[in-house]
């Protein structure tokens, strides 16, 4: 189902002015500095799994913030396979679209999700407010570091090296709690899920790693 056709109705009945912005901004500090005029125009979207938020070639009309669930940016390879460019679980989606004439990929909900839709013009005006602009710059810098870390990780040759790199860069003191299934994690690491499970089992057997459901601890 394409959301592009149903957005107007959803926007009409889903004004975000009824949201608890105080609770919302505690969970997402960047939203705390979103100016009131932009908040008043923000809409809440509740979408089901497999819903398309936008498609390649569509003109951007809003900046999206994923409150819950997961939305993926996807591009199709020549062979027809999916290339996942971004997984947004709690944060902004497709930040680079702010100044683009058209989207360069598709956005699809991987699970039932809640999103804030901030009109692009209102978002651009909000960036004129120093507090919000500074927060946005900090956010983009953090996302750039993530992209670089992921590129470095994918350049590693073995599955073990990629697992170690992920835990060391994304975890805390050698401990990481996965916020996704191991199958999805394998795709993020550029591995088959069979290769990932085999690597985790080998590392655990050698005493390098403790695997407790979604919690991984380096020894």
């Amino acid at each position: 189902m394409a959301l592009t056709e149903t957005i107007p109705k959803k926007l009409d009945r889903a004004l975000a002015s009824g949201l608890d912005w105080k609770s919302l901004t505690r969970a997402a500090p960047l939203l705390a500095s979103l100016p009131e005029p932009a908040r008043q125009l923000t809409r809440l979207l509740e979408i089901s799994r497999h819903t398309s938020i936008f498609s390649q070639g569509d003109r951007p009309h809003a900046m999206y913030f994923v409150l819950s669930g997961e939305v993926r940016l996807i591009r199709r390879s020549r062979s027809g396979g999916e290339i996942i460019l971004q997984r947004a679980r709690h944060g902004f989606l497709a930040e680079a679209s702010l100044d683009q004439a058209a989207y360069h990929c598709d956005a699809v909900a991987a699970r039932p999700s809640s999103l804030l839709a901030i009109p692009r013009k209102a978002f651009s005006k909000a960036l004129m407010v120093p507090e919000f602009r500074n927060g946005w710059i900090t956010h983009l810098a953090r996302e750039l570091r993530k992209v670089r870390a992921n590129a470095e990780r994918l350049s590693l040759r073995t599955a073990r090296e990629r697992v170690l790199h992920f835990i060391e860069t994304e975890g805390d003191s050698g401990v990481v709690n996965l916020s996704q299934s191991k199958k999805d994690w394998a795709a993020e690491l550029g591995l088959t899920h069979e290769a990932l499970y085999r690597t985790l089992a080998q590392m655990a057997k050698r005493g390098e790693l403790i695997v407790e459901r979604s919690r991984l601890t380096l020894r």
Side-chain angles (χ1 to χ4, degrees):
M1 179 178 65
L3 184 64
T4 308
E5 299 174 356
T6 59
I7 274 183
K9 290 184 179 179
K10 286 181 176 289
L11 294 182
D12 286 344
R13 66 172 182 264
L15 280 166
S17 56
L19 286 175
D20 182 355
W21 282 94
K22 183 177 291 187
S23 298
L24 190 63
T25 54
R26 281 199 296 268
L30 179 56
L31 294 177
S33 56
L34 184 67
E36 187 62 28
R39 291 188 184 189
Q40 291 299 321
L41 294 172
T42 297
R43 304 294 188 268
L44 175 65
L45 306 179
E46 300 287 353
I47 59 177
S48 57
R49 187 184 180 193
H50 299 316
T51 297
S52 174
I53 292 87
F54 55 77
S55 300
Q56 185 174 352
D58 287 349
R59 182 180 177 183
H61 292 289
M63 291 296 292
Y64 296 98
F65 186 94
V66 181
L67 295 172
S68 63
E70 179 181 326
V71 178
R72 299 177 181 178
L73 291 187
I74 297 171
R75 190 173 293 166
R76 307 289 174 179
S77 66
R78 292 185 178 182
S79 62
E82 289 186 351
I83 301 173
I84 300 175
L85 304 177
Q86 181 186 9
R87 283 187 172 92
R89 301 185 186 92
H90 186 74
F92 280 98
L93 174 72
E95 293 94 333
S97 66
L98 181 60
D99 62 349
Q100 297 297 301
Y103 288 113
H104 300 288
C105 53
D106 302 333
V108 180
R111 62 189 70 170
S113 303
S114 298
L115 290 78
L116 294 181
I118 308 169
R120 192 162 72 152
K121 288 184 179 180
F123 193 92
S124 295
K125 288 183 179 180
L127 290 174
M128 298 174 67
V129 178
E131 184 180 1
F132 184 68
R133 181 174 63 248
N134 292 340
W136 181 245
I137 291 172
T138 300
H139 165 74
L140 293 180
R142 184 168 53 248
E143 290 302 304
L144 179 58
R145 288 193 293 271
K146 287 183 181 179
V147 169
R148 286 179 173 172
N150 190 53
E152 180 182 353
R153 187 157 49 244
L154 292 176
S155 71
L156 299 175
R157 297 185 62 182
T158 69
R160 176 181 173 276
E161 288 175 317
R162 295 184 187 185
V163 168
L164 287 173
H165 186 280
F166 183 92
I167 296 174
E168 290 170 351
T169 58
E170 304 296 329
D172 183 14
S173 300
V175 180
V176 68
N177 291 290
L178 297 175
S179 58
Q180 57 187 312
S181 69
K182 288 190 176 69
K183 187 174 182 179
D184 285 343
W185 184 38
E188 185 174 327
L189 294 176
L191 305 170
T192 64
H193 63 277
E194 293 90 353
L196 176 61
Y197 294 152
R198 184 168 57 250
T199 299
L200 293 178
Q202 291 170 348
M203 293 177 69
K205 186 177 181 179
R206 290 195 295 263
E208 294 180 287
L209 185 68
I210 298 173
V211 182
E212 302 169 300
R213 296 182 179 273
S214 61
R215 183 182 176 89
L216 306 176
T217 305
L218 289 177
R219 299 186 64 178

